[in-house]
Amino acid sequence: MRKTLSALLAIVFLIGGVFLCGCNQKTLYAYTESGFPPFEYIQDSKIHGVDIEIAKTVASEMNMRLVVKDIEFSSIAKGIKQDNAIGLGMSISEERAKKVDFSIPYVKDVFQYVIFEEGALETDQDDMVPIEELRGKKLGVQKGSSADTLITKEKDGLFQDAKVRRYENILTATQDIGHSNDYIVIDSLSALQITDNKVGLEAKRIKGLPSESYGIAVKKGNTKLLTNINNIVSRLIEEEQIQKWIEIHSTTSQDL
Ligand code: GLN
C-alpha cells in the first residue's frame, strides 16, 4: 500500500514537474537575419525587435517555446522546412510565395530607400531620389532581399548598368558607403533607423518603385500554423500593437 502510494505520488510529481517546467512544450523556430532594425537587431548580445515580439506572441499563444535562429537572409525561405518554423522580416512577393506561404500583411506601404553620404545625391521636388541618379552606380543591398531581386532584374532597365554589391548584413554594408559601394538600397523603416543619429548619412525614398508588405512565412501548405498566425496578427493590428512595437523598437535600436 505504502509502495503504491509513493509510486502514485512519484507519478503525480513527474507529471506536475513536466507541466511546470514546460518540458512538454513544442518548440517554434523563428528564422531571421538580425541586421534589420527596428524589426530585428542585436542589443546586449540578444536579438530584439518588432518581428521578435510578434514571434513571441505567436509562440506563447500556441503554448510553444520560441527559439530564434539568426541566419543569412537569403537562406530563410530554405530554412522553413518544418511545420514548427516561421520566417521573419520578409516582404511578400509572388516569387517567394512559390516556396513558402505568407500570413496576412502585418506592415504595409514599405518603400525602397537609398542611404547615401550627405550631399552625394540630389532629391527632386517631392524630396525623393529619381532612379536615374542610381544608374551605373555601385549599389549595396542585402543578399536575397527584394532590393537585390529588383535591381538585379532591372540592370538593363530601370537601374541601367548598376553594379550590385551583395552583403550578408546591411549594417556592415553601410560602413562601406563610399568605398566598395556608392549607396545602399533597403526598406524605408530600416533605412531611416540606420541613418538616425548617424552624422553624415541620409536616407531618401527612391521615386517610382512599387510598395511592399511584410508577412510571416511558413512552410508551404502549413495551414494550421498559418491560420493561428493570421488570427494573432489580425488581432495585433486591430489593437495597434504592431505600431506600438515599431515606435518602441525605433527608439531602443537608435544607437546601433
Ligand atoms: N524587404 C526586404 C525583403 O524582404 C527586407 C530585407 C531584410 O533585411 N529583412 O527582401
Side-chain angles (χ1 to χ4, degrees):
M1 180 65 191
R2 236 201 176 147
K3 263 191 183 161
T4 327
L5 196 69
S6 32
L8 254 172
L9 274 177
I11 291 169
V12 168
F13 278 126
L14 206 73
I15 295 171
V18 167
F19 192 69
L20 282 178
C21 84
C23 308
N24 62 342
Q25 271 187 328
K26 283 198 182 147
T27 304
L28 178 70
Y29 292 96
Y31 291 90
T32 194
E33 193 281 325
S34 61
F36 194 56
F39 295 96
E40 26 267 316
Y41 58 95
I42 301 281
Q43 204 159 52
D44 302 327
S45 323
K46 271 190 77 188
I47 188 160
H48 303 269
V50 179
D51 290 338
I52 310 302
E53 304 277 9
I54 299 175
K56 274 185 193 163
T57 312
V58 170
S60 105
E61 297 205 7
M62 293 184 69
N63 191 25
M64 293 173 94
R65 186 176 68 101
L66 180 70
V67 173
V68 181
K69 299 264 185 197
D70 189 3
I71 62 168
E72 279 178 20
F73 184 75
S74 52
S75 303
I76 296 177
K78 278 181 255 154
I80 318 168
K81 290 209 183 85
Q82 298 141 331
D83 282 332
N84 57 341
I86 57 176
L88 305 174
M90 295 170 79
S91 298
I92 301 169
S93 76
E94 261 176 47
E95 223 161 310
R96 287 177 183 163
K98 288 179 196 152
K99 296 187 199 132
V100 297
D101 282 343
F102 280 105
S103 70
I104 54 166
Y106 63 92
V107 174
K108 290 182 184 168
D109 295 329
V110 175
F111 287 95
Q112 293 298 333
Y113 270 49
V114 54
I115 302 181
F116 55 98
E117 273 176 345
E118 224 160 15
L121 274 175
E122 293 293 323
T123 51
D124 65 6
Q125 67 280 8
D126 302 320
D127 202 31
M128 292 188 208
V129 174
I131 299 184
E132 298 82 66
E133 293 267 331
L134 309 179
R135 291 186 178 154
K137 295 290 191 288
K138 290 179 272 177
L139 303 178
V141 294
Q142 176 153 56
K143 191 174 146 203
S145 66
S146 37
D148 183 1
T149 311
L150 176 74
I151 298 170
T152 306
K153 215 181 332 186
E154 289 291 335
K155 270 203 309 201
D156 295 322
L158 283 177
F159 286 90
Q160 212 168 7
D161 297 326
K163 292 156 197 72
V164 186
R165 299 280 182 264
R166 298 186 177 87
Y167 295 83
E168 300 300 351
N169 184 293
I170 217 70
L171 303 173
T172 320
T174 310
Q175 288 157 6
D176 237 11
I177 294 179
H179 307 286
S180 308
N181 68 67
D182 297 317
Y183 320 118
I184 303 295
V185 180
I186 182 89
D187 302 0
S188 27
L189 271 174
S190 220
L192 293 169
Q193 194 62 33
I194 289 168
T195 50
D196 201 34
N197 282 348
K198 292 254 175 7
V199 182
L201 284 185
E202 276 188 82
K204 295 283 177 193
R205 185 171 144 187
I206 304 171
K207 194 162 191 161
L209 296 178
S211 76
E212 299 175 16
S213 299
Y214 297 152
I216 312 268
V218 302
K219 183 180 132 183
K220 246 196 160 346
N222 189 357
T223 39
K224 193 174 156 223
L225 180 59
L226 199 61
T227 310
N228 275 314
I229 292 175
N230 281 341
N231 288 336
I232 295 166
V233 167
S234 56
R235 201 201 64 228
L236 291 173
I237 293 170
E238 221 172 271
E239 293 169 350
E240 294 178 9
Q241 185 57 57
I242 294 182
Q243 194 48 42
K244 282 179 212 153
W245 282 330
I246 291 177
E247 280 155 31
I248 293 170
H249 288 282
S250 296
T251 313
T252 50
S253 64
Q254 224 161 39
D255 297 316
L256 291 181

